Amino acid sequence: MLITVTGGIGSGKTRFALKYAAGISREGVYLSTGDHDPVIPELPSAHYRAIHAGNGQHLTEVITQINRESNLFLADQRIVIVDSLTSWMAAGFRATEDLDHQRSETQLLLDALLSYQGSCL
């Protein structure tokens, strides 16, 4: 299941996403993205962990690794929260002017998100 939360800067998207995630999953991973210093919010429980996934291909690799290491039988009890795709894309555009490369990176990330065996928020 892929869930998208939208809103303006400072509108409470992260707070809403974490509260929502706590209501539908037992464990999760909060992924901070972009090329800025990560600000890790208070996580819902000890069963959640935070990772600064950065930008570019690294985010795709992190999601793929989490999926590979996860127990398939617990897929309905876990969630990955990506905060945020906007900062990931902005960092990618700042890193390169090659639109074909950015398009390729975006497709790889989409493939990783859609193949994740659990929920993505």
Side-chain angles (χ1 to χ4, degrees):
M1 174 173 36
L2 184 60
I3 304 163
T4 305
V5 178
T6 62
I9 295 172
S11 64
K13 295 179 300 293
T14 300
R15 185 176 51 249
F16 172 82
L18 289 169
K19 184 176 180 181
Y20 186 82
I24 65 170
S25 66
R26 194 178 83 66
E27 61 184 53
V29 179
Y30 173 84
L31 299 175
S32 172
T33 67
D35 55 4
H36 59 285
D37 290 332
V39 176
I40 305 300
E42 184 177 334
L43 300 176
S45 77
H47 297 287
Y48 281 71
R49 61 186 168 126
I51 299 172
H52 179 62
N55 58 7
Q57 192 173 7
H58 186 64
L59 176 59
T60 302
E61 292 168 357
V62 169
I63 292 171
T64 300
Q65 185 68 25
I66 291 168
N67 200 27
R68 198 176 303 128
E69 294 173 355
S70 297
N71 183 338
L72 176 62
F73 298 106
L74 299 177
D76 63 332
Q77 298 176 20
R78 69 170 181 263
I79 193 163
V80 166
I81 304 152
V82 180
D83 190 6
S84 81
L85 291 177
T86 302
S87 59
W88 177 82
M89 289 188 80
F93 284 120
R94 282 192 296 273
T96 182
E97 293 182 14
D98 184 353
L99 292 180
D100 287 332
H101 176 74
Q102 186 63 24
R103 192 174 296 119
S104 173
E105 292 289 328
T106 302
Q107 186 61 54
L108 289 171
L109 177 59
L110 179 60
D111 293 345
L113 289 169
L114 293 177
S115 68
Y116 180 71
Q117 298 171 14
S119 297
C120 291
L121 183 61

